[in-house]
Amino acid sequence: MYIKIYLRTGCCFLLAFFLLGLHSAALAWGAEGHRIVARTAQRNLSAKARQEILRLLHPGETLESVANWADVIRNSRPETKNWHFVDIPVNANAYDPGRDCPRTP
């Protein structure tokens, strides 16, 4: 009986540990996650989008090289907090900048 309780407790602990670890990893992409998404996006750009990106970036920069910029400056420039994300409602059919990108106070 003690062995069953011990095994059940141990399994519950391991499951909780795994789920908590998985959850925290999902919340924080980190620099590498941002670069991977940017690299994938850059490979799938239309010709028109690629030209616009080239126009916006400095010579030698890529989406991958600037993907973590918002995280890098966030602490030193708190006014940029809302530049980092958009909040699109679950029931929205499309992105609406006026609704989804709140102004920084």
Side-chain angles (χ1 to χ4, degrees):
M1 179 161 175
Y2 290 113
I3 293 174
K4 281 185 177 180
I5 293 172
Y6 178 75
L7 288 174
R8 186 176 301 154
T9 303
C11 288
C12 288
F13 175 76
L14 285 174
L15 179 61
F17 181 76
F18 173 75
L19 291 175
L20 288 173
L22 182 63
H23 176 69
S24 65
L27 289 176
W29 287 69
E32 183 179 8
H34 286 302
R35 285 191 302 269
I36 290 168
V37 170
R39 185 180 323 131
T40 303
Q42 190 155 342
R43 288 179 185 158
N44 292 288
L45 291 173
S46 67
K48 184 177 179 182
R50 187 174 291 108
Q51 284 304 113
E52 185 63 16
I53 295 291
L54 288 172
R55 186 184 72 75
L56 293 170
L57 296 176
H58 294 286
E61 287 182 334
T62 63
L63 286 180
E64 186 177 347
S65 70
V66 300
N68 203 45
W69 176 79
D71 281 346
V72 171
I73 67 160
R74 183 175 40 209
N75 291 334
S76 62
R77 295 186 54 197
E79 75 275 12
T80 67
K81 176 185 177 228
N82 288 339
W83 298 1
H84 190 71
F85 61 91
V86 295
D87 286 328
I88 302 172
V90 173
N91 62 347
N93 292 328
Y95 167 69
D96 176 359
R99 176 195 64 211
D100 304 333
C101 294
R103 294 253 183 237
T104 302

XYZ file of all heavy atoms in Angstrom:
837
model
N 0.817 -1.184 0.000
C 0.000 0.000 0.000
C 0.866 1.254 0.000
O 0.584 2.202 -0.718
C -0.921 -0.012 1.202
C -1.790 1.205 1.271
S -3.155 0.863 2.345
C -3.896 2.425 2.380
N 1.929 1.260 0.787
C 2.812 2.423 0.826
C 3.506 2.639 -0.520
O 3.738 3.759 -0.917
C 3.856 2.272 1.942
C 3.272 2.369 3.315
C 3.253 1.275 4.163
C 2.724 3.558 3.757
C 2.708 1.356 5.420
C 2.169 3.659 5.020
C 2.172 2.554 5.858
O 1.633 2.645 7.083
N 3.807 1.546 -1.194
C 4.472 1.653 -2.489
C 3.539 2.312 -3.496
O 3.948 3.179 -4.256
C 4.943 0.269 -2.984
C 6.045 -0.248 -2.059
C 5.428 0.338 -4.413
C 6.480 -1.653 -2.361
N 2.252 1.943 -3.499
C 1.293 2.554 -4.412
C 1.185 4.057 -4.159
O 1.153 4.850 -5.088
C -0.085 1.910 -4.265
C -0.233 0.597 -4.960
C -1.667 0.143 -4.846
C -1.870 -1.151 -5.598
N -3.256 -1.613 -5.499
N 1.076 4.440 -2.913
C 0.976 5.862 -2.564
C 2.243 6.588 -2.990
O 2.190 7.666 -3.568
C 0.708 6.037 -1.049
C -0.683 5.507 -0.713
C 0.836 7.503 -0.647
C -0.970 5.444 0.769
N 3.398 5.999 -2.732
C 4.670 6.599 -3.091
C 4.778 6.781 -4.603
O 5.157 7.844 -5.097
C 5.820 5.740 -2.568
C 7.177 6.268 -2.935
C 7.706 7.375 -2.296
C 7.927 5.663 -3.947
C 8.947 7.874 -2.642
C 9.165 6.140 -4.305
C 9.673 7.248 -3.648
O 10.898 7.742 -3.997
N 4.396 5.742 -5.362
C 4.454 5.821 -6.820
C 3.473 6.852 -7.353
O 3.801 7.631 -8.245
C 4.187 4.452 -7.449
C 5.306 3.416 -7.303
C 4.853 2.074 -7.843
C 6.553 3.892 -8.033
N 2.274 6.864 -6.805
C 1.263 7.819 -7.257
C 1.733 9.242 -6.956
O 1.617 10.125 -7.807
C -0.072 7.544 -6.578
C -1.188 8.407 -7.120
C -2.524 8.078 -6.528
N -2.859 6.690 -6.784
C -3.674 5.978 -6.019
N -4.218 6.509 -4.961
N -3.935 4.727 -6.302
N 2.264 9.486 -5.767
C 2.760 10.805 -5.402
C 3.920 11.205 -6.300
O 3.977 12.329 -6.784
C 3.207 10.825 -3.926
O 2.107 10.426 -3.115
C 3.661 12.208 -3.508
N 4.823 10.277 -6.555
C 5.971 10.559 -7.414
C 5.546 10.878 -8.841
O 6.045 11.816 -9.453
N 4.577 10.127 -9.356
C 4.082 10.382 -10.718
C 3.400 11.738 -10.798
O 3.585 12.475 -11.762
C 3.113 9.290 -11.148
S 3.947 7.722 -11.493
N 2.595 12.076 -9.785
C 1.925 13.379 -9.771
C 2.947 14.508 -9.713
O 2.811 15.524 -10.405
C 0.966 13.487 -8.588
S -0.507 12.466 -8.785
N 3.990 14.329 -8.905
C 5.038 15.341 -8.805
C 5.742 15.520 -10.141
O 5.947 16.643 -10.610
C 6.043 14.963 -7.717
C 7.204 15.910 -7.643
C 7.058 17.161 -7.063
C 8.429 15.555 -8.182
C 8.125 18.039 -7.020
C 9.509 16.427 -8.137
C 9.347 17.673 -7.548
N 6.095 14.420 -10.792
C 6.775 14.506 -12.090
C 5.883 15.136 -13.149
O 6.339 15.946 -13.947
C 7.230 13.113 -12.541
C 8.442 12.546 -11.814
C 8.681 11.107 -12.260
C 9.664 13.392 -12.057
N 4.615 14.795 -13.155
C 3.684 15.379 -14.113
C 3.552 16.890 -13.875
O 3.618 17.673 -14.819
C 2.316 14.707 -14.017
C 1.240 15.243 -14.964
C 1.662 15.047 -16.415
C -0.083 14.557 -14.682
N 3.400 17.293 -12.620
C 3.295 18.722 -12.301
C 4.572 19.451 -12.696
O 4.524 20.538 -13.277
C 3.014 18.906 -10.813
N 5.712 18.870 -12.404
C 6.995 19.476 -12.753
C 7.115 19.649 -14.269
O 7.487 20.699 -14.762
C 8.138 18.602 -12.227
C 9.496 19.149 -12.516
C 10.006 20.209 -11.784
C 10.271 18.617 -13.538
C 11.260 20.713 -12.047
C 11.524 19.109 -13.818
C 12.021 20.172 -13.064
N 6.736 18.620 -15.017
C 6.801 18.673 -16.472
C 5.865 19.745 -17.020
O 6.242 20.549 -17.862
C 6.446 17.311 -17.068
C 6.340 17.332 -18.568
C 7.476 17.387 -19.358
C 5.101 17.312 -19.180
C 7.377 17.418 -20.738
C 4.995 17.343 -20.560
C 6.134 17.400 -21.342
N 4.623 19.770 -16.528
C 3.653 20.740 -17.022
C 4.048 22.169 -16.682
O 3.899 23.077 -17.503
C 2.253 20.428 -16.489
C 1.619 19.155 -17.039
C 0.292 18.883 -16.347
C 1.430 19.251 -18.545
N 4.563 22.400 -15.495
C 5.021 23.735 -15.132
C 6.210 24.150 -15.988
O 6.302 25.290 -16.435
C 5.374 23.809 -13.643
C 4.186 23.774 -12.700
C 4.663 23.676 -11.257
C 3.297 24.987 -12.896
N 7.107 23.229 -16.229
C 8.260 23.529 -17.075
C 7.843 23.804 -18.503
O 8.336 24.730 -19.149
N 6.900 23.042 -18.998
C 6.400 23.240 -20.349
C 5.702 24.586 -20.457
O 5.888 25.321 -21.412
C 5.438 22.106 -20.703
C 4.854 22.107 -22.104
C 5.978 21.955 -23.136
C 3.860 20.974 -22.251
N 4.922 24.928 -19.461
C 4.184 26.187 -19.463
C 5.139 27.378 -19.472
O 4.988 28.288 -20.265
C 3.262 26.247 -18.248
C 2.530 27.546 -18.123
N 1.548 27.921 -19.009
C 2.657 28.557 -17.247
C 1.083 29.112 -18.668
N 1.739 29.508 -17.601
N 6.137 27.375 -18.616
C 7.060 28.512 -18.572
C 7.871 28.612 -19.853
O 8.175 29.702 -20.319
C 7.983 28.421 -17.350
O 8.821 27.290 -17.462
N 8.189 27.490 -20.461
C 8.925 27.529 -21.720
C 8.057 28.106 -22.829
O 8.538 28.820 -23.705
C 9.401 26.131 -22.089
N 6.777 27.819 -22.788
C 5.883 28.329 -23.826
C 5.678 29.829 -23.691
O 5.434 30.516 -24.671
C 4.545 27.613 -23.753
N 5.776 30.346 -22.482
C 5.576 31.775 -22.276
C 6.775 32.606 -22.711
O 6.630 33.785 -23.004
C 5.280 32.058 -20.791
C 3.921 31.585 -20.301
C 3.797 31.843 -18.807
C 2.802 32.261 -21.057
N 7.937 32.030 -22.726
C 9.137 32.791 -23.036
C 9.835 32.208 -24.257
O 10.485 31.184 -24.173
C 10.078 32.773 -21.830
N 9.688 32.864 -25.394
C 10.322 32.391 -26.617
C 11.824 32.534 -26.517
O 12.551 31.683 -26.976
C 9.840 33.218 -27.802
C 8.466 32.939 -28.228
C 7.326 33.223 -27.549
C 8.075 32.318 -29.435
N 6.246 32.825 -28.276
C 6.684 32.273 -29.438
C 8.774 31.814 -30.520
C 5.978 31.733 -30.497
C 8.060 31.285 -31.570
C 6.686 31.247 -31.546
N 12.271 33.636 -25.971
C 13.689 33.909 -25.915
C 14.208 34.322 -27.287
O 13.506 34.275 -28.298
N 15.452 34.752 -27.303
C 16.069 35.242 -28.535
C 16.087 34.172 -29.627
O 15.800 34.456 -30.792
C 17.479 35.736 -28.240
N 16.387 32.945 -29.255
C 16.466 31.888 -30.252
C 15.103 31.630 -30.900
O 14.996 31.474 -32.118
C 17.000 30.594 -29.638
C 17.161 29.483 -30.648
C 17.718 28.212 -30.048
O 17.858 28.122 -28.807
O 18.015 27.295 -30.832
N 14.047 31.617 -30.099
C 12.708 31.419 -30.635
C 12.315 32.515 -31.606
O 11.740 32.255 -32.663
N 12.639 33.763 -31.252
C 12.345 34.878 -32.155
C 13.114 34.746 -33.469
O 12.562 34.997 -34.542
C 12.705 36.213 -31.490
C 11.739 36.629 -30.424
N 10.400 36.818 -30.644
C 11.937 36.903 -29.109
C 9.812 37.194 -29.531
N 10.722 37.246 -28.576
N 14.374 34.335 -33.390
C 15.180 34.181 -34.613
C 14.645 33.057 -35.502
O 14.617 33.186 -36.731
C 16.647 33.931 -34.254
C 17.369 35.184 -33.783
C 18.867 34.967 -33.703
N 19.237 33.881 -32.815
C 19.501 34.017 -31.516
N 19.454 35.204 -30.948
N 19.837 32.972 -30.794
N 14.214 31.963 -34.891
C 13.678 30.836 -35.666
C 12.411 31.260 -36.413
O 12.247 30.971 -37.597
C 13.407 29.626 -34.753
C 14.733 29.037 -34.273
C 12.555 28.577 -35.464
C 14.590 28.037 -33.140
N 11.517 31.961 -35.727
C 10.286 32.421 -36.370
C 10.615 33.411 -37.488
O 10.054 33.336 -38.584
C 9.327 33.049 -35.337
C 8.165 33.749 -36.022
C 8.826 31.985 -34.374
N 11.543 34.323 -37.238
C 11.924 35.310 -38.262
C 12.558 34.632 -39.473
O 12.271 35.001 -40.620
C 12.884 36.332 -37.668
N 13.406 33.655 -39.237
C 14.045 32.924 -40.348
C 12.986 32.215 -41.192
O 13.009 32.268 -42.420
C 15.046 31.911 -39.795
C 15.841 31.181 -40.859
C 16.829 30.178 -40.281
N 17.461 30.614 -39.048
C 17.542 29.855 -37.942
N 17.060 28.622 -37.928
N 18.125 30.315 -36.859
N 12.028 31.593 -40.529
C 10.949 30.908 -41.239
C 10.099 31.909 -42.021
O 9.755 31.668 -43.178
C 10.071 30.126 -40.238
O 10.905 29.210 -39.520
C 8.960 29.379 -40.935
N 9.788 33.025 -41.390
C 8.988 34.051 -42.074
C 9.727 34.594 -43.290
O 9.142 34.749 -44.367
C 8.668 35.188 -41.103
N 11.015 34.869 -43.128
C 11.782 35.436 -44.232
C 11.815 34.491 -45.428
O 11.751 34.922 -46.578
C 13.200 35.775 -43.777
C 13.962 36.584 -44.798
C 15.066 37.411 -44.180
O 15.086 37.650 -42.978
N 15.984 37.853 -44.988
N 11.882 33.210 -45.176
C 11.892 32.222 -46.263
C 10.562 32.181 -47.012
O 10.508 31.714 -48.150
C 12.180 30.825 -45.705
C 13.601 30.632 -45.258
C 13.783 29.242 -44.700
N 15.111 29.093 -44.158
C 15.446 28.179 -43.258
N 14.549 27.316 -42.826
N 16.675 28.111 -42.810
N 9.489 32.644 -46.374
C 8.155 32.539 -46.963
C 7.560 33.879 -47.401
O 6.370 33.956 -47.687
C 7.216 31.845 -45.971
C 7.590 30.400 -45.779
O 7.382 29.586 -46.657
N 8.196 30.085 -44.643
N 8.375 34.910 -47.470
C 7.888 36.220 -47.890
C 7.562 36.247 -49.377
O 8.254 35.619 -50.185
C 8.952 37.294 -47.622
C 9.252 37.648 -46.175
C 10.451 38.589 -46.100
C 8.040 38.277 -45.518
N 6.554 37.019 -49.728
C 6.302 37.272 -51.149
C 7.391 38.223 -51.645
O 8.099 38.856 -50.843
C 4.929 37.925 -51.333
O 4.937 39.236 -50.776
N 7.521 38.332 -52.941
C 8.537 39.235 -53.515
C 8.280 40.675 -53.069
O 9.213 41.404 -52.719
C 8.533 39.129 -55.032
N 7.030 41.084 -53.049
C 6.676 42.449 -52.640
C 7.032 42.684 -51.165
O 7.608 43.710 -50.813
C 5.189 42.692 -52.870
C 4.748 44.097 -52.577
C 3.286 44.299 -52.900
C 2.889 45.727 -52.567
N 1.473 45.967 -52.825
N 6.702 41.727 -50.318
C 7.024 41.852 -48.888
C 8.536 41.872 -48.679
O 9.046 42.641 -47.863
C 6.387 40.710 -48.105
N 9.263 41.042 -49.412
C 10.727 41.001 -49.307
C 11.328 42.366 -49.650
O 12.204 42.867 -48.960
C 11.296 39.910 -50.202
C 12.781 39.684 -50.033
C 13.295 38.486 -50.823
N 12.787 37.244 -50.242
C 11.854 36.464 -50.791
N 11.331 36.762 -51.957
N 11.445 35.367 -50.186
N 10.820 43.002 -50.694
C 11.305 44.330 -51.083
C 11.024 45.364 -49.998
O 11.856 46.213 -49.710
C 10.666 44.771 -52.409
C 11.257 44.101 -53.613
C 12.766 44.310 -53.712
O 13.534 43.371 -53.575
N 13.190 45.537 -53.910
N 9.846 45.295 -49.389
C 9.496 46.241 -48.334
C 10.379 46.034 -47.101
O 10.831 46.996 -46.482
C 8.015 46.110 -47.966
C 7.522 47.123 -46.981
C 7.582 48.566 -47.468
O 7.728 48.807 -48.688
O 7.493 49.464 -46.615
N 10.649 44.797 -46.767
C 11.542 44.498 -45.640
C 12.927 45.065 -45.916
O 13.534 45.698 -45.049
C 11.630 42.967 -45.389
C 10.274 42.414 -44.953
C 12.721 42.629 -44.391
C 9.807 42.837 -43.593
N 13.438 44.855 -47.108
C 14.759 45.389 -47.470
C 14.783 46.906 -47.361
O 15.785 47.504 -46.962
C 15.157 44.947 -48.878
C 15.518 43.475 -49.026
C 15.713 43.119 -50.500
C 16.760 43.144 -48.225
N 13.680 47.548 -47.715
C 13.597 49.003 -47.629
C 13.644 49.478 -46.173
O 14.248 50.497 -45.861
C 12.304 49.489 -48.285
C 12.180 51.007 -48.386
C 10.841 51.418 -48.965
N 9.728 51.223 -48.053
C 9.464 52.004 -46.996
N 10.245 53.019 -46.702
N 8.418 51.762 -46.242
N 13.030 48.725 -45.284
C 12.953 49.120 -43.874
C 14.218 48.821 -43.079
O 14.560 49.557 -42.150
C 11.758 48.422 -43.208
C 10.380 48.851 -43.701
C 9.310 47.916 -43.144
C 10.095 50.289 -43.302
N 14.900 47.732 -43.419
C 16.084 47.328 -42.654
C 17.332 48.044 -43.146
O 17.405 48.463 -44.297
C 16.279 45.815 -42.753
C 15.171 44.946 -42.145
C 15.464 43.479 -42.399
C 15.015 45.219 -40.656
N 18.304 48.151 -42.261
C 19.610 48.707 -42.636
C 20.362 47.680 -43.480
O 20.107 46.476 -43.364
C 20.437 49.048 -41.385
C 19.849 50.158 -40.572
N 19.897 51.471 -40.961
C 19.184 50.133 -39.394
C 19.299 52.221 -40.050
N 18.852 51.427 -39.090
N 21.315 48.140 -44.294
C 22.113 47.190 -45.099
C 22.747 46.118 -44.207
O 23.284 46.422 -43.143
C 23.170 48.077 -45.743
C 22.548 49.438 -45.782
C 21.695 49.528 -44.542
N 22.630 44.884 -44.627
C 23.214 43.768 -43.884
C 22.298 43.177 -42.830
O 22.589 42.106 -42.288
N 21.201 43.852 -42.500
C 20.267 43.314 -41.516
C 19.286 42.362 -42.187
O 18.976 42.484 -43.364
C 19.470 44.437 -40.841
C 20.260 45.253 -39.865
C 19.408 46.324 -39.198
O 18.402 46.779 -39.785
O 19.765 46.711 -38.079
N 18.804 41.400 -41.405
C 17.768 40.474 -41.838
C 16.683 40.457 -40.771
O 16.897 40.955 -39.661
C 18.325 39.047 -41.997
O 18.776 38.605 -40.696
C 19.471 38.986 -42.997
N 15.559 39.877 -41.095
C 14.525 39.722 -40.065
C 15.081 38.950 -38.873
O 14.811 39.280 -37.720
C 13.307 38.995 -40.627
C 12.402 39.781 -41.560
C 11.240 38.911 -42.021
C 11.881 41.033 -40.892
N 15.871 37.948 -39.164
C 16.460 37.137 -38.098
C 17.370 37.970 -37.198
O 17.351 37.824 -35.982
C 17.234 35.976 -38.705
C 17.763 35.010 -37.682
C 18.458 33.820 -38.317
O 18.337 33.602 -39.537
O 19.120 33.099 -37.562
N 18.152 38.849 -37.787
C 19.115 39.623 -36.985
C 18.450 40.689 -36.115
O 19.038 41.132 -35.133
C 20.176 40.263 -37.884
O 19.625 41.312 -38.664
N 17.240 41.101 -36.461
C 16.550 42.128 -35.667
C 15.359 41.575 -34.885
O 14.650 42.318 -34.217
C 16.090 43.313 -36.552
C 17.278 43.974 -37.221
C 15.055 42.883 -37.561
N 15.135 40.275 -34.952
C 13.936 39.660 -34.373
C 13.801 39.869 -32.873
O 12.691 39.921 -32.356
C 13.922 38.166 -34.688
N 14.876 40.021 -32.159
C 14.824 40.138 -30.704
C 14.932 41.588 -30.230
O 15.011 41.857 -29.043
C 15.938 39.283 -30.076
C 15.621 38.921 -28.657
O 14.516 38.523 -28.338
N 16.605 39.086 -27.784
N 14.910 42.531 -31.152
C 15.104 43.942 -30.824
C 14.149 44.429 -29.734
O 14.562 45.100 -28.797
C 14.947 44.795 -32.085
C 15.029 46.255 -31.844
C 16.158 47.000 -31.661
C 13.931 47.172 -31.758
N 15.836 48.313 -31.471
C 14.471 48.447 -31.531
C 12.554 47.024 -31.866
C 13.679 49.577 -31.392
C 11.760 48.149 -31.731
C 12.328 49.403 -31.500
N 12.864 44.101 -29.842
C 11.889 44.572 -28.861
C 12.214 44.072 -27.455
O 12.028 44.792 -26.475
C 10.476 44.162 -29.268
N 12.713 42.853 -27.335
C 13.117 42.342 -26.023
C 14.356 43.054 -25.507
O 14.478 43.330 -24.316
C 13.406 40.841 -26.090
C 12.142 39.999 -26.076
O 11.062 40.537 -25.748
O 12.234 38.810 -26.396
N 15.278 43.345 -26.395
C 16.543 43.973 -25.993
C 16.308 45.371 -25.422
O 16.908 45.750 -24.427
C 17.531 44.031 -27.183
C 18.746 44.874 -26.862
C 17.940 42.630 -27.593
N 15.414 46.146 -26.039
C 15.220 47.525 -25.585
C 14.113 47.693 -24.551
O 13.961 48.772 -23.983
C 14.937 48.471 -26.774
C 13.592 48.155 -27.405
C 16.054 48.444 -27.775
C 13.042 49.298 -28.212
N 13.346 46.671 -24.304
C 12.168 46.792 -23.440
C 12.475 47.407 -22.078
O 11.754 48.291 -21.612
C 11.508 45.424 -23.266
C 10.237 45.475 -22.450
C 9.523 44.151 -22.385
N 10.463 43.054 -22.238
C 10.252 41.835 -22.684
N 9.132 41.551 -23.301
N 11.135 40.891 -22.518
N 13.519 46.982 -21.407
C 13.812 47.491 -20.063
C 14.350 48.911 -20.072
O 14.069 49.691 -19.163
C 14.791 46.565 -19.339
C 14.154 45.236 -19.004
O 12.944 45.125 -18.862
N 14.971 44.204 -18.902
N 15.116 49.272 -21.083
C 15.688 50.619 -21.119
C 14.726 51.642 -21.719
O 14.919 52.839 -21.537
C 17.007 50.624 -21.910
O 16.778 50.247 -23.249
N 13.704 51.186 -22.416
C 12.725 52.094 -23.028
C 11.309 51.578 -22.760
O 10.674 51.000 -23.623
C 12.988 52.212 -24.529
C 14.327 52.868 -24.820
C 14.569 53.126 -26.271
N 13.482 53.890 -26.886
C 13.304 53.951 -28.203
N 14.102 53.323 -29.024
N 12.311 54.649 -28.700
N 10.806 51.802 -21.530
C 9.495 51.262 -21.158
C 8.356 51.749 -22.061
O 7.328 51.082 -22.171
C 9.289 51.716 -19.717
C 10.422 52.589 -19.372
C 11.435 52.531 -20.456
N 8.539 52.876 -22.718
C 7.476 53.381 -23.598
C 7.255 52.480 -24.821
O 6.266 52.620 -25.537
C 7.781 54.821 -24.056
C 8.865 54.947 -25.105
C 10.296 54.991 -24.574
O 10.513 54.709 -23.381
O 11.201 55.302 -25.360
N 8.155 51.535 -25.045
C 8.027 50.640 -26.198
C 7.296 49.341 -25.862
O 7.174 48.475 -26.720
C 9.416 50.282 -26.766
O 10.124 49.492 -25.805
C 10.213 51.514 -27.124
N 6.811 49.219 -24.634
C 6.166 47.974 -24.195
C 5.117 47.481 -25.195
O 5.091 46.320 -25.563
C 5.518 48.173 -22.828
C 4.743 46.964 -22.358
C 4.012 47.251 -21.069
C 3.204 46.044 -20.698
N 1.852 46.360 -20.337
N 4.241 48.367 -25.650
C 3.163 47.954 -26.550
C 3.613 47.722 -27.981
O 2.817 47.304 -28.811
C 2.023 48.980 -26.515
C 1.266 48.922 -25.219
O 1.297 47.925 -24.514
N 0.592 49.994 -24.876
N 4.858 47.956 -28.300
C 5.379 47.675 -29.638
C 5.651 46.185 -29.810
O 5.866 45.710 -30.917
C 6.684 48.414 -29.888
C 6.607 49.898 -29.841
C 5.525 50.686 -29.583
C 7.689 50.795 -30.044
N 5.866 52.003 -29.609
C 7.202 52.104 -29.890
C 9.044 50.619 -30.331
C 8.008 53.224 -30.026
C 9.838 51.739 -30.464
C 9.320 53.031 -30.321
N 5.695 45.469 -28.723
C 6.158 44.089 -28.724
C 5.086 43.076 -29.109
O 5.385 41.946 -29.445
C 6.726 43.748 -27.350
C 7.448 42.450 -27.297
N 8.655 42.240 -27.890
C 7.107 41.271 -26.752
C 9.033 40.996 -27.701
N 8.108 40.385 -27.004
N 3.838 43.454 -29.054
C 2.785 42.468 -29.263
C 1.519 43.158 -29.752
O 1.406 44.378 -29.706
C 2.472 41.729 -27.962
C 1.986 42.652 -26.872
C 0.639 42.901 -26.709
C 2.890 43.291 -26.038
C 0.193 43.768 -25.727
C 2.453 44.156 -25.053
C 1.093 44.397 -24.899
N 0.579 42.365 -30.218
C -0.777 42.832 -30.500
C -1.735 41.906 -29.764
O -1.437 40.730 -29.560
C -1.108 42.858 -32.014
C -0.250 43.868 -32.726
C -0.971 41.503 -32.643
N -2.849 42.442 -29.341
C -3.880 41.654 -28.659
C -5.096 41.543 -29.578
O -5.977 42.391 -29.555
C -4.291 42.315 -27.340
C -3.251 42.152 -26.260
O -2.572 41.115 -26.263
O -3.116 43.049 -25.415
N -5.112 40.504 -30.380
C -6.227 40.286 -31.293
C -7.269 39.439 -30.565
O -6.951 38.341 -30.098
C -5.759 39.572 -32.578
C -4.677 40.405 -33.262
C -6.936 39.302 -33.508
C -4.010 39.715 -34.433
N -8.499 39.951 -30.444
C -9.533 39.168 -29.754
C -9.759 37.818 -30.440
O -9.649 37.702 -31.662
C -10.784 40.047 -29.872
C -10.264 41.429 -30.092
C -8.989 41.262 -30.872
N -10.068 36.819 -29.654
C -10.267 35.469 -30.162
C -11.385 35.435 -31.213
O -11.296 34.724 -32.199
C -10.593 34.500 -29.000
C -10.976 33.135 -29.510
C -9.432 34.411 -28.050
N -12.410 36.243 -31.019
C -13.547 36.219 -31.944
C -13.377 37.169 -33.133
O -14.292 37.311 -33.945
C -14.844 36.538 -31.195
C -14.823 37.922 -30.574
O -13.780 38.563 -30.487
N -15.965 38.371 -30.115
N -12.216 37.812 -33.267
C -11.981 38.741 -34.378
C -11.724 37.977 -35.672
O -11.090 36.926 -35.661
C -10.808 39.645 -34.067
N -12.187 38.538 -36.768
C -11.969 37.926 -38.073
C -10.681 38.397 -38.726
O -10.196 37.764 -39.657
C -13.137 38.238 -39.009
C -14.407 37.552 -38.561
O -14.358 36.465 -38.004
N -15.531 38.182 -38.790
N -10.159 39.531 -38.265
C -8.969 40.100 -38.890
C -8.248 41.020 -37.910
O -8.794 41.396 -36.874
C -9.357 40.885 -40.141
N -7.047 41.358 -38.248
C -6.231 42.291 -37.489
C -6.742 43.708 -37.720
O -6.989 44.112 -38.854
C -4.780 42.156 -37.939
C -3.864 43.260 -37.485
C -3.514 43.397 -36.155
C -3.338 44.163 -38.407
C -2.664 44.398 -35.741
C -2.480 45.169 -38.008
C -2.152 45.281 -36.669
O -1.317 46.280 -36.265
N -6.922 44.470 -36.640
C -7.352 45.862 -36.722
C -6.390 46.680 -35.864
O -6.439 46.618 -34.642
C -8.782 45.994 -36.206
C -9.279 47.428 -36.160
O -8.526 48.355 -36.516
O -10.442 47.617 -35.765
N -5.485 47.444 -36.485
C -4.487 48.189 -35.706
C -5.084 49.090 -34.636
O -4.548 49.190 -33.528
C -3.746 49.014 -36.748
C -4.032 48.376 -38.059
C -5.351 47.677 -37.920
N -6.189 49.766 -34.932
C -6.818 50.652 -33.951
C -7.297 49.917 -32.709
O -7.248 50.443 -31.606
N -7.757 48.712 -32.896
C -8.274 47.904 -31.783
C -7.167 47.069 -31.140
O -7.117 46.930 -29.915
C -9.368 46.969 -32.322
C -9.919 46.001 -31.284
C -10.709 44.875 -31.907
N -9.829 44.051 -32.733
C -10.207 43.408 -33.827
N -11.451 43.496 -34.244
N -9.358 42.682 -34.519
N -6.274 46.515 -31.936
C -5.338 45.509 -31.465
C -3.997 46.053 -30.976
O -3.231 45.317 -30.361
C -5.093 44.483 -32.575
C -6.390 43.853 -33.054
O -7.358 43.786 -32.266
O -6.432 43.426 -34.216
N -3.683 47.280 -31.279
C -2.409 47.889 -30.869
C -2.669 49.096 -29.998
O -2.729 50.237 -30.487
C -1.596 48.317 -32.095
S -1.066 46.949 -33.096
N -2.833 48.902 -28.686
C -3.103 50.026 -27.820
C -1.932 51.010 -27.789
O -0.777 50.619 -27.893
C -3.321 49.391 -26.443
C -2.620 48.075 -26.519
C -2.667 47.656 -27.958
N -2.262 52.277 -27.711
C -1.228 53.310 -27.613
C -0.516 53.185 -26.278
O -1.124 52.868 -25.258
C -1.853 54.702 -27.709
C -2.466 54.972 -29.046
C -1.584 55.955 -29.777
N -2.167 56.304 -31.044
C -1.532 56.126 -32.171
N -0.328 55.631 -32.215
N -2.104 56.470 -33.305
N 0.769 53.476 -26.278
C 1.541 53.491 -25.040
C 1.192 54.757 -24.285
O 1.208 55.837 -24.873
C 3.042 53.451 -25.329
O 3.318 52.275 -26.099
C 3.863 53.428 -24.061
N 0.833 54.619 -23.005
C 0.470 55.831 -22.231
C 1.607 56.804 -22.074
O 2.731 56.525 -22.172
C 0.037 55.285 -20.880
C 0.285 53.823 -20.881
C 0.757 53.428 -22.234
